[in-house]
Amino acid sequence: MLQFMLLFSRQGKLRLQKWYVPYQDKLKKKVTRELISTVLGRKPKMCNFLEWRDLKVVYKRYAKFHFCCAIEDTDNELLTLEIIHRYVELLDKYFGSVCELDIIFNFEKAYFMLDELLIGGEIQETSKKNVLKAIQAQDLLQEETEVNKSVLEELGLT
C-alpha cells in the first residue's frame, strides 16, 4: 500500500502531495524535506528504489518532475513504478504534454486524477480510458455549474 505520493520539481518545489496514512503536519514537512533532498541528491543512473526508515521509496523522474512514492517494505516496487507511469500518462493525455504550470494552475484536476486512480493508497482503476471519462464528466459538471451560477447572477438571485 502506498503511504504517500509526492510530486516535486528539479528545484525541490513541492507541487503535489497525497498522504494515505495519517502523519502529523510537522512530521509531514520533515519527511518531505528529507525525501526531496535525498532524491534530488541521487545521480541519474542510480536505482529508482531506496530503503528509507522502515519504508521503501520508489521515485521516477519525468521531464522536470520527480514522482516519489513511499510503500511498505513488503510491496512490489515495479508495480509502484507502473502506478507512477500510469499517473504520468493520465496527466499527459489530459493536459497535452504536461508541464509545471499545468500542475500549478490546475492542481485540483491533478488531485482529482490521482483520486480516480488510487483510493487509500491502493490502485482503484487501471483503465486510462475510464479515468479520463470520469474527469471529462467532472469537467462537464463544473461547466454546467458555472453556467447556472452566471444565469442566477443575471437574474439577481445570488
Side-chain angles (χ1 to χ4, degrees):
M1 179 178 112
L2 259 70
Q3 303 290 308
F4 55 86
M5 178 184 262
L6 304 174
L7 168 58
F8 51 92
S9 67
R10 281 191 290 187
Q11 291 78 30
K13 298 278 187 191
L14 186 63
R15 297 298 180 202
L16 183 126
Q17 61 179 334
K18 185 72 173 184
W19 300 82
Y20 297 105
V21 175
Y23 282 83
Q24 294 178 352
D25 286 342
K26 192 173 185 179
L27 185 58
K28 283 181 184 180
K29 288 178 183 174
K30 182 180 180 192
V31 165
T32 303
R33 195 172 36 246
E34 279 182 37
L35 276 178
I36 288 174
S37 64
T38 301
V39 169
L40 289 177
R42 292 174 62 90
K43 304 236 184 284
K45 297 278 184 187
M46 293 178 91
C47 180
N48 288 352
F49 315 128
L50 58 109
E51 291 189 15
W52 181 77
R53 297 186 183 177
D54 59 339
L55 300 171
K56 287 185 206 170
V57 173
V58 179
Y59 69 93
K60 183 76 174 145
R61 180 174 170 231
Y62 285 95
K64 295 184 177 188
F65 292 121
H66 284 85
F67 293 80
C68 179
C69 294
I71 57 174
E72 297 169 353
D73 59 348
T74 57
D75 287 339
N76 188 338
E77 300 94 341
L78 295 176
L79 182 62
T80 307
L81 267 180
E82 190 61 34
I83 289 170
I84 291 171
H85 185 69
R86 179 59 47 111
Y87 184 52
V88 170
E89 286 178 331
L90 285 169
L91 290 170
D92 271 344
K93 249 201 167 111
Y94 183 78
F95 290 114
S97 181
V98 69
C99 68
E100 195 167 356
L101 290 176
D102 291 326
I103 300 296
I104 291 170
F105 292 117
N106 299 297
F107 64 90
E108 68 282 344
K109 298 284 186 208
Y111 277 113
F112 185 75
M113 277 187 240
L114 189 58
D115 289 341
E116 284 294 315
L117 183 66
L118 298 168
I119 285 186
E122 299 287 343
I123 191 87
Q124 170 189 284
E125 181 60 67
T126 57
S127 169
K128 287 185 284 188
K129 204 177 278 186
N130 288 346
V131 172
L132 289 170
K133 279 182 189 176
I135 293 164
Q136 289 170 347
Q138 181 68 24
D139 286 346
L140 283 173
L141 185 63
Q142 188 175 4
E143 287 174 20
E144 288 173 9
T145 304
E146 290 172 2
V147 167
N148 290 339
K149 186 178 178 183
S150 65
V151 168
L152 289 174
E153 286 175 354
E154 286 177 15
L155 295 173
L157 298 174
T158 58

